[in-house]
Amino acid sequence: MIVIGERINGMFKRIGEAIATRDEAPIIEAAQAQVEKGANYLDLNVGPASDEPVAAMQWLVETVRKATDTPLSIDSPKPDVIRAGLDIAGSNSIINSTTGEAQRLAALMPLAAEYGCPIIGLTIDENGVPRDAPGRTEVALKIVASAMEHGVPPDNVWIDPVILPISCTQNHQPEVLKAIAECKLLSDPSPKTVLGLSNVSQGTRYRSLVNRTYLVMAIAYGLDAAIMDPLDDDLMDAMITAELLMNKTVYCDDFLKAYRT
Amino acid sequence: MSFEMPKEKWRGAVNQVKIGATAAEGGTRSSTVTVGGEATLPFLDFEGDTPNRPVIAFEVLDLAPTDWPEPLVEAYGDVFGDPAAWAQKCVEQYEADLICLRLQSAHPDRGDSSPAQCAETVKKVLQAVGVPLIIWGCGDNEKDNNLWPEVSQAAARERCCLGSAVQDNYKTISACAMADGHVVITEAPLDINIQKQVNILVTEMGVKPEDIIMYQVTGALGYGVEYAYTIMERTRLAALGGDKMLSMPMLAIVGSEAWRAKEARLPEEESPQWGRRYDRAILWEAMTAELFLHAGTDILVMWHPEAARLVKESVLSYSAASTESE
């Protein structure tokens, strides 16, 4: 499983303030803590409130680079913000994200081709988020086809079948799981699959429990990556154990320790 | 249309481990051996790096064997009981890459020789040959723990491999190896899960993963070799998949296993249909070793010089074949 740490996001109050005042310490602290807890990528999002997102993203990448060389996920709806981030972060980053909307594909796929980096594709099109698995897979196909047209290898496309909060769309959760499995059949090599996990528990009382239970279920359906909170030890333990039970790693009595070595 | 060889993309690679230390490195070895470093499956050098060829360690016992079959007595009978001369013969006549010295005499049932006596043997062998050493205890946990401090100290800074650390007895050997600059061999009973666990235990003691060689108790051709093969292959796949606790080079003990097989031992008059015993026995050892090569073994511990020669020839032929095809 590829762990993309979600903690550096302007939506979090402390991070939002740090971005606004260009205070490096909270950013560096969040980067180091996530890497130490097993993040393979760090997601960077300047948040919706930033009024100069390009400059904010540049500062954020430079600041994180002072703390770690861990690859980054440049997270923004705006192509110019993503380009600004990629220019400094380099081609081992991920673009987060495009959707299946024609306009966004036309703007972002060329970036993925130019930088040779993976791109996350949310299964959202002009009609919004599909209700069921086939609808999601159909949008995923559009994204994979667009990638191929632009010369982006299919395994550099990470399909995110968009999980919505359990508190408002309970009928979507099983459909997302089915979509994870179906997306694997779209091409050879298959696209990867990824989830913005924490969204599933928005507005619930037992967030950590909902997150880790859903992550385990998604892993059983073949999920490759998740944007998640690596500081949640229970979540990480559940992920490590699920991977073991899927025979993706080799068991030993101290398997949690082995993963973290 | 040109043919493009399909290539697997691997995430991990086997650790590279150097055995032996020259004078410049604080030891007295005239040569050192580096194993591991593979970034692909055995001999697929078109796909990934295989920087070091597998090596052969000749096993030397500190006790004269009493039950060795004739072909082995022919090869070593003149040096039985003199481990230094035995080691020298392996290096000078049979071109051993390493010597694997087994301190059998320390076993309570086989003479119970003292730590000081064993340390003396180690020193003599170190003086007699310039190649690196693998030093194996007697297999009795309690006695081995008494042995290691003195034996390890006698070879301090020579960067020997000390064998072996097992799940319920790994502390003394690990501490000695760290103190005197040696490599630890971790052992598991044909069990990948236990192998990984021993590696974790030993690294928790402070031994670096780059100072570990793994050993699964093996079986000979016809006697469970397929289990060993499967486990070693799976271990190598885990290493290439990025499992750091299974990324160490692997060692296989071939000689003692192969020569235990009845096919290697039965005289011609009892089994005429099997052909000449001499050829048969040597081929049994060579074929067992060959199998382990393809499972990914980096160090083969062997007995008969002719079997070792056949295996070395085989290793070199694979390397030559891949060079030609480039």
Side-chain angles (χ1 to χ4, degrees), chain A residues 184-195:
Chain A
K184 285 282 162 198
L185 307 173
L186 288 179
S187 59
D188 184 16
S190 304
K192 286 197 169 62
T193 50
V194 58
L195 279 182

Side-chain angles (χ1 to χ4, degrees), chain A residues 102 105-114 143-153:
Chain A
L105 288 169
L108 287 158
M109 277 303 169
L111 268 185
E114 183 185 335
I143 297 170
V144 171
S146 167
M148 285 166 152
E149 278 166 25
H150 286 89
V152 175

